[in-house]
């Protein structure tokens, strides 16, 4: 077919006009209008099977006229006289669930009234079953893929690529693409789409600075070459494949230790841009592609066997011990559901019990496809979970392991001899307590084999239990012997530990020459097997209507070759579904919705394609490029449709409110995994290690499932246990696998908000981001941004300061106070080394400290009143050594002088001061000095200050008050700028920075004044910055991508 | 089980503003709130929905006609309470106990089946002014019979748990993926509460019922109408409170700053309703921190109330606490609350002599207490209490080899449930099973009839409350035969 896009508009309009005209009084025909209704509601009993209820066959109008036991079913021209309609109207038919709707009943009535017309003469005879009509065959998704030809001569509008031409061609008048997105927005979109991680600020700068016309294309290439690309796109495929690290099933949900090998295979396949047809072939028939196993597995063979893990993804109750036929058949059914929904985009599974009610998939097709898999998934010759594993041991490994085991066996033999000797020794010793002949009788009884003992011997042993020396109680007779034997055990374990690590694959393969019969199960019930069904492809996709017979048995294969043939049919020219399904999925992940919005249902109950020609173009492009997904990404991402802005254009909203015509990009919320990964990348805590066993999860105290341990790998690598989904992932719509996930929803819920506001993980990420922002240099432009901003918290001193100095007893004032210069992370001291060259031993930590060696170097913990009020001091000063003469503690209030004074030596003393009236800014110093002797002066002095102000009571505790240096406002704002850049990948505007500064000021004031609102060990500034970071990572700019 | 209609499971396409706006049961309350201040409450979901509704929300809606009920608490007794031992006395069954059932029995477990009639080991007696006969296993229920409409002619036609429970919740036997009753109610009527989800599910410490979360699924309705689960243990809502150092003024400041960030972002994305919904979700979450904590805290209830619900006894403490919470939620405007049991305590296939009294002891007093309590607070008038399972049990014995092991198999052909308040006729029984209790024979009520009747009491016409899916109108009763059972509606 050749057409110009411009023509399409015209023809589309024509079609619409025509349709309206005709719809005035369409004459229903049997094939187009009536058969689908009867198919959905009636054919199960009146047509599909050999026996027809009441002798009535509704498959042809001719048969309806003949009728059944109750006479003709219809009287053309006279609806009211038609028995069929009477039974429907009376609600008697169908007798089971799913009544025919009033509209459908009306259609039938109109059809009868109009003479019960058929679209064409009915055949003289029809085969059993429902067959497939021309109308059904004409359904869009069954038609061959036709690549639309795009005229290159007259580029339309802003079309860059054929995709754009096709989209523009379908836009109603008045619509057009939005302007291109800003470069930074486009970059973020590409990063999240392709690798699921944010760029670094440096990468952003470099890209923005790259003025080359192909800068964007180079970016896309870089991202496609990134190993993280495979991680991001593997996740999409794992959804469709129903990946889980556990077996599911009602009982235990056993963990699948080796499932990750398949996950890693998928990542590697995407990264290497393995042709997608090959990718599918390997997953369906990797064992048949692998060739015969001679000696060690080659890397290619390992890869292909690993791929068959796809067919082992279904939940499997048989793995937790349910050996019932139901459980086995459920695994087969789920596997078929995964295969057909992900690769054919049809609800083939609906034909398990009866012919599909809406799509032309007879029940025999379901079992024909089942027959493809039955030799490997035979419910009557079931392989247990252990039997499906393939060891990756090489012959050398095996030999090495055998040698080591032989060594181990030697020690085991030695141990046995040693043990026998110990046992004999213990027995002799025990028997020595008895006299003959009892001793001899006991020995004989003991040494007799337990089942050979006479009743008398049995009784004898029961009466003398201490003679019953067993290996387990040997230690009670001879501890040294037991210890000695334990050493043997340790040696045995140590030797065995030298065996090469044995890894396994979870594979699917057929036993050689195993060709079980597949039978159709009446009503899907395995207890009601019917006729034998041969392996075939879907009837609807074969022109002759019978489905291609699958028989590729070749001499090379010891297996049936059915799956390989099926896989090749899937990706061959005869099947239009698979290429469309894959292309549609790729499009969906770039635009947030598919051209067909039901990616696993291209049948009548699915949604029709919004842009059928575009879908065909994409499918053809995929196929013709050798099934290169990376090619398809480039094709899509180079289009104007992809590159346009997501901002709603005022003129277009009313014409295209739902963006059906792609007149803008969609603003999309990040997927659960991307959200978590972005947070980790932003806070600098992401561990980018690839591959390997999954990271464990655990339930925390509040019942949430969280990552176990400190390792923060990408979310893809978290253990995907069906019954234990990670709470954060689940809240943001990651699938909880029952079978597989056809497409995700994107929900907005208050529970998500609660998780981000209050959840431990998000808070820890915010705090890590704050620390990173402080640690790393601020961007060069930060200084300019900050310059001129009023820095309003500069003048406020910290509540607690840590210094040294002296106190004049006469004046009762602190005469000097010098802040200690060095913060170790848990204490303040004079320099990195202790003692410090200049100030000596002076140091202060959370609980106390150490004074310097003369009164000019007293340790001073200074508290500054944040408000007017009355202060009460409670505390305990203690000194813990007999050496020296102890320490002196004094409370020195600026307003009052020395308010209390205590000495303590190797003991503890309370340090109460009942009442100090303070004004805002007044200091109260806690001065500790060394008295005469300068040795052993470590002290603890925990102090609690209760300040009563107009606002009420606030309690300040010295332990909580210890924190690191308070940076000045300019430094703090530079950290804000850095945090902003890390979170949003742009600098704040001046306005935004002003708002941030206001926030920091007001937080700082509050936190300083009201104790108890900082996380443990956080200074008020750090807490304020952490809170700001918390807002950044919880905000829409972080959660959504333009 | 796979049925043609099961394919309606197809999730909503990821497009349109319905997607942007309205996602989860708690997603949009605050937006609704904002609209409320400027608008009268909206018309009910229109009888015929436009092809593409502009948006979905939780604004309170005017129903099709004057409602009798505003809220509903469903005490779902999953597993199949044995009606012939609890609600439906059968003298003929007792008389002929030990002889064979004279007809065809629909069994589930053929391998353990027998046709030997098994008369109830428990005595029935008349109670209340209405004189309804009740088993000695339900002494507390016996005290509320004058407030209750007892339906003895329920019928699903299928004995299996799954088939029938899906019928009750989703409207079609055996079909999953459909919206549940609670979803439809909230879809049709919106929410009366501004800081609590409209549809709450109280699950059991022993786990979920069969089918798990699909029992409170929104199906093909927007996720806004999904049930929200309250955990069986504290914390009943996860992450409801921040760590103590962030509580109070500091969190308010933090949220104010977040709002400022989001507002700037929204200003650059005009019309992006998903972003508005996200902003609203934070507002609602903040409101919930207070409201939900308050609603779930039963410590302030009087000692008399605690005693009424059996919180002073280990058998009834857990279920009683959930019943009491259900009352508190309804008091605060929650539309639909459903309690589930974990495991299948009513599924008394064996040793019914022990297992049935045990589950009655656990549930009888709290269930009756709920009705009494609602009544004394004047809430019963407008609150429907529903008590019932998806099936009943057979009159014949199962595992009859050993009398101590005897139990009863599933029975979807006839069973009982009770309803109170919200316009149901109090003090009556309705319908009959046959003389042995196997099949409902007079005034048969199906789950679709039940749904139609419930919606009617809420002022909704079940055939008109529709949602457009793939070009087809969907209702809870799915176009199936369904009648409003007017005989059990009070004057």
């Amino acid at each position: 077919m050749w057409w110009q896009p411009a023509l399409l508009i015209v023809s589309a309009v024509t079609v619409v006009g025509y349709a309206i005209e005709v719809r005035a009084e369409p004459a229903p025909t049997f094939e187009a209008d009536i058969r689908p209704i009867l198919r959905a509601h009636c054919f199960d009993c009146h047509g599909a099977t050999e026996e027809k209820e009441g002798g009535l066959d509704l498959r042809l109008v001719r048969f309806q006229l003949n009728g059944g036991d109750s006479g003709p079913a219809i009287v053309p021209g006279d609806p009211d006289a038609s028995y069929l309609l009477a039974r429907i109207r009376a609600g008697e038919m169908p007798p089971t669930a799913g009544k025919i709707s009033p509209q459908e009943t009306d259609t039938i009535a109109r059809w009868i009234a109009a003479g019960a017309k058929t679209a064409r003469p009915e055949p003289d005879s029809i085969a059993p079953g429902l067959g497939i009509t021309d109308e059904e065959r004409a359904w869009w998704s069954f038609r061959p893929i036709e690549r639309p030809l795009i005229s290159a001569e007259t580029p339309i509008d802003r079309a860059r690529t054929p995709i754009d031409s096709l989209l523009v061609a379908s836009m109603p008048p008045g619509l057009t693409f939005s302007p291109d997105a800003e470069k930074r927005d486009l970059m973020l979109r590409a990063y999240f789409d392709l690798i699921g991680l944010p760029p670094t600020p440096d990468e952003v700068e470099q890209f923005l600075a790259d003025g080359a016309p192909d800068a964007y294309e180079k970016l896309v290439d870089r991202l496609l070459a990134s190993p993280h690309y495979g991680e991001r796109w593997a996740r999409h495929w794992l959804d469709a494949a129903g990946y889980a690290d556990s077996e599911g099933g009602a009982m235990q949900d056993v963990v699948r230790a080796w499932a990750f090998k398949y996950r890693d295979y998928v990542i590697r396949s995407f990264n290497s841009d393995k042709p997608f047809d090959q990718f599918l072939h390997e997953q369906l028939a990797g064992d048949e592609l692998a060739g015969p196993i001679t000696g060690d597995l080659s890397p290619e063979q390992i890869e292909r066997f690993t791929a068959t893990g796809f067919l082992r993804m279904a939940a499997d109750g048989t793995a937790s011990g349910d050996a019932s036929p139901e459980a086995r058949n459920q695994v087969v059914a789920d596997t078929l559901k995964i295969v057909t929904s992900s690769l054919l985009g049809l609800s083939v599974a609906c034909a398990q019990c009866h012919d599909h009610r809406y799509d032309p998939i007879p029940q025999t097709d379901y079992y024909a496809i089942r027959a493809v898999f039955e030799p490997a998934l035979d419910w009557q010759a079931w392989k247990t979970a252990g039997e499906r594993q393939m060891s990756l041991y090489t012959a050398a490994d095996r030999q090495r392991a055998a040698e080591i085991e032989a060594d181990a066996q030697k020690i085991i033999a030695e141990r046995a001899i040693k043990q026998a000797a110990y046992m004999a020794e213990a027995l002799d010793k025990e028997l020595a307590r008895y006299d003959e002949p009892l001793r001899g009788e006991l020995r004989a009884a003991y040494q007799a084999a337990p089942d050979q003992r006479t009743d008398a011997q049995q009784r004898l042993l029961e009466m003398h239990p201490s003679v019953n020396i067993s290996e387990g109680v040997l230690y009670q007779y001879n501890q040294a012997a037991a210890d000695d034997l334990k050493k043997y055990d340790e040696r045995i374990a140590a030797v065995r530990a030298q065996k090469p690590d044995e890894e396994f694959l979870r594979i699917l393969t057929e036993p050689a020459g195993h060709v079980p019969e597949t039978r159709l199960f009446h009503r899907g019930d395995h207890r009601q097997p019917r006729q034998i069904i041969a392996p075939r492809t879907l009837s609807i996709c074969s022109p002759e209507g019978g489905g291609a017979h699958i028989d590729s048995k070749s001499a090379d294969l010891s297996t049936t070759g059915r799956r390989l043939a099926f896989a090749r049919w899937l990706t061959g020219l005869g099947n239009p579904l698979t290429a469309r399904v894959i292309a549609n999925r790729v499009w969906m992940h770039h635009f947030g919705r598919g051209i067909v919005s039901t990616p696993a249902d291209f049948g009548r109950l699915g949604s029709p394609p919004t842009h059928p020609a575009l879908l065909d173009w994409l499918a053809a492009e995929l196929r013709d490029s050798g099934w290169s997904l990376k090619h398809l990404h480039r094709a899509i991402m180079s289009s104007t449709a992809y590159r346009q802005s997501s901002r709603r254009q005022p003129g277009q909203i009313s014409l295209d409110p739902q963006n059906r015509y792609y007149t803008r990009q969609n603003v999309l919320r990040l997927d659960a995994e991307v959200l978590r990964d972005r947070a980790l990348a932003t806070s600098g805590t992401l561990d980018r290690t690839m591959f390997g066993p999954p990271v464990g999860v655990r339930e925390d105290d509040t019942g949430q499932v969280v990552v176990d341990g400190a390792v923060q790998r990408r979310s893809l690598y978290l253990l995907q246990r069906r019954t234990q989904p990670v709470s954060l992932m689940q809240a943001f719509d990651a699938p909880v696998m029952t079978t597989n996930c056809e497409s995700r929803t994107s929900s907005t819920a208050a529970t998500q908000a609660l998780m981000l506001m209050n959840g431990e993980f998000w808070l820890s990420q915010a705090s890590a981001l704050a620390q990173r922002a402080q640690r790393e240099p601020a961007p060069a432009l930060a200084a300019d941004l900050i310059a001129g901003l009023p820095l309003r918290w500069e003048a406020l001193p910290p509540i607690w300061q840590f210094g040294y100095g002296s106190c004049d007893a006469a004046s009762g004032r602190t005469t000097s106070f010098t802040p200690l210069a060095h913060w170790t992370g848990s204490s303040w001291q004079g320099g990195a080394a202790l003692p410090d060259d200049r100030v000596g031993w002076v140091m202060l930590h959370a609980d106390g400290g150490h004074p310097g060696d003369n009164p000019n170097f007293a340790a001073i913990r200074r508290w500054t009143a944040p408000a007017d009020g009355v202060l009460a001091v409670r505390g305990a000063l203690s000194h813990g050594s007999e050496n020296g003469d102890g320490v002196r503690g004094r409370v020195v209030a600026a307003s009052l002088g020395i308010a209390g004074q205590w000495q303590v030596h190797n003991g503890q003393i309370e340090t109460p001061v009942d009442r100090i009236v303070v004004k805002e800014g007044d200091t109260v110093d806690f001065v500790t000095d060394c008295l005469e002797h300068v040795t052993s002066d470590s002290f603890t002095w925990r102090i609690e200050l209760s300040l009563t102000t107009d606002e009420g009571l606030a309690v300040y505790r010295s332990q909580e008050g210890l924190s690191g240096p308070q940076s000045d406002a300019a430094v703090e704002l530079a950290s804000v700028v850095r945090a902003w850049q890390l979170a949003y990948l742009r600098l704040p505007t001046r306005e935004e920075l002003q708002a941030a500064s206001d926030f920091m000021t007001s937080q700082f004031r509050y936190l300083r004044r009201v104790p108890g609102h900082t996380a443990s060990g956080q200074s008020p500034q750090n807490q304020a910055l952490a809170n700001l970071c918390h807002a950044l990572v919880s905000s829409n700019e972080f959660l959504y991508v333009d | 089980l796979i049925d043609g209609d099961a394919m309606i499971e197809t999730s909503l396409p990821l497009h349109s503003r319905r997607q942007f706006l309205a996602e989860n049961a708690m997603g949009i309350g605050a937006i609704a709130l904002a609209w409320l201040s400027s608008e009268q409450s909206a018309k009910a979901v229109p009888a015929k929905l436009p092809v593409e509704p502009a948006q979905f929300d939780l604004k309170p809606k005017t129903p099709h006609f004057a409602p009798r009920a505003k809220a509903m608490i469903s005490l779902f007794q999953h597993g199949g309470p044995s009606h012939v031992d609890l609600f439906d006395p059968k003298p003929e069954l007792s008389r002929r106990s030990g002889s064979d059932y004279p007809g065809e029995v629909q069994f589930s477990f053929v391998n353990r089946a027998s046709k030997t009639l098994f008369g109830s080991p428990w005595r029935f007696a008349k109670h209340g002014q209405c004189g309804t006969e009740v088993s000695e296993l339900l002494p507390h229920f016996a005290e509320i019979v004058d407030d209750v409409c007892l339906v003895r002619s329920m019928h699903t036609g299928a004995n299996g748990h799954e088939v029938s429970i899906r019928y009750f919740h989703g409207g079609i036997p055996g079909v999953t993926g459909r919206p549940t009753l609670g979803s439809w109610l909230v879809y049709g009527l919106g929410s009366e509460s501004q800081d609590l989800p409209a549809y709450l599910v109280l699950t059991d410490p022993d786990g979920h019922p069969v089918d798990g979360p699909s029992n409170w699924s929104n199906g093909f309705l927007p996720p806004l109408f999904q049930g929200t689960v309250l955990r069986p243990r504290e914390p009943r809502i996860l992450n409801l409170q921040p760590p103590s150092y962030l509580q109070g003024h500091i969190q308010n400041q933090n949220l104010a700053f977040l709002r400022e960030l989001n507002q700037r972002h929204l200003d650059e994305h005009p019309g992006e309703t998903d972003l508005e919904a996200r902003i609203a979700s934070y507002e609602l979450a903040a409101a919930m921190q207070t409201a939900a904590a308050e609603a779930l805290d039963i410590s302030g209830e009087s000692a008399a109330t605690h005693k009424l619900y059996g919180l002073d006894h280990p058998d009834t403490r857990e279920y009683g606490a959930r019943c009491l919470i259900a009352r508190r939620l309804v008091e605060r405007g929650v539309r639909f609350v459903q309690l589930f049991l974990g495991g299948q305590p009513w599924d008394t296939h064996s040793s019914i002599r022990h297992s049935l009294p045990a589950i009655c002891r656990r549930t009888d007093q709290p269930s009756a207490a709920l009705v009494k309590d609602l009544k004394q607070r004047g809430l019963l008038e407008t609150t429907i209490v529903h008590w019932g399972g998806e099936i009943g049990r057979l009159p014949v014995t199962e595992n009859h080899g050993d009398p101590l092991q005897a139990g009863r198999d599933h029975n979807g052909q006839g069973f009982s449930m009770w309803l109170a308040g919200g316009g149901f006729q109090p003090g009556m029984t309705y319908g009959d099973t046959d003389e042995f209790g196997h099949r409902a024979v007079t005034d048969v009520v199906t789950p679709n009839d039940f749904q139609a009747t419930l919606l009617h009491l809420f002022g909704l016409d079940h055939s008109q409350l529709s949602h457009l899916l793939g070009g087809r109108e969907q209702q809870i009763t799915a176009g199936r035969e369904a009648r409003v059972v007017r005989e059990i509606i009070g004057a």
Side-chain angles (χ1 to χ4, degrees), chain A residues 428-439:
Chain A
D428 286 348
K429 208 167 156 191
E430 186 62 27
L431 288 176
R433 296 170 50 199
Y434 301 97
D435 295 328
E436 293 292 0
L438 181 56
R439 185 191 300 166

Side-chain angles (χ1 to χ4, degrees), chain A residues 32 253 319 338 368 370 439 458 495 575 585 595 639 683 840 877 932:
Chain A
D253 197 27
I338 290 170
R370 182 169 164 136
R439 185 191 300 166
Q458 193 67 40
V495 168
N575 168 30
R585 282 186 175 280
I595 294 170
S639 70
S683 69
L877 175 65
E932 300 296 318

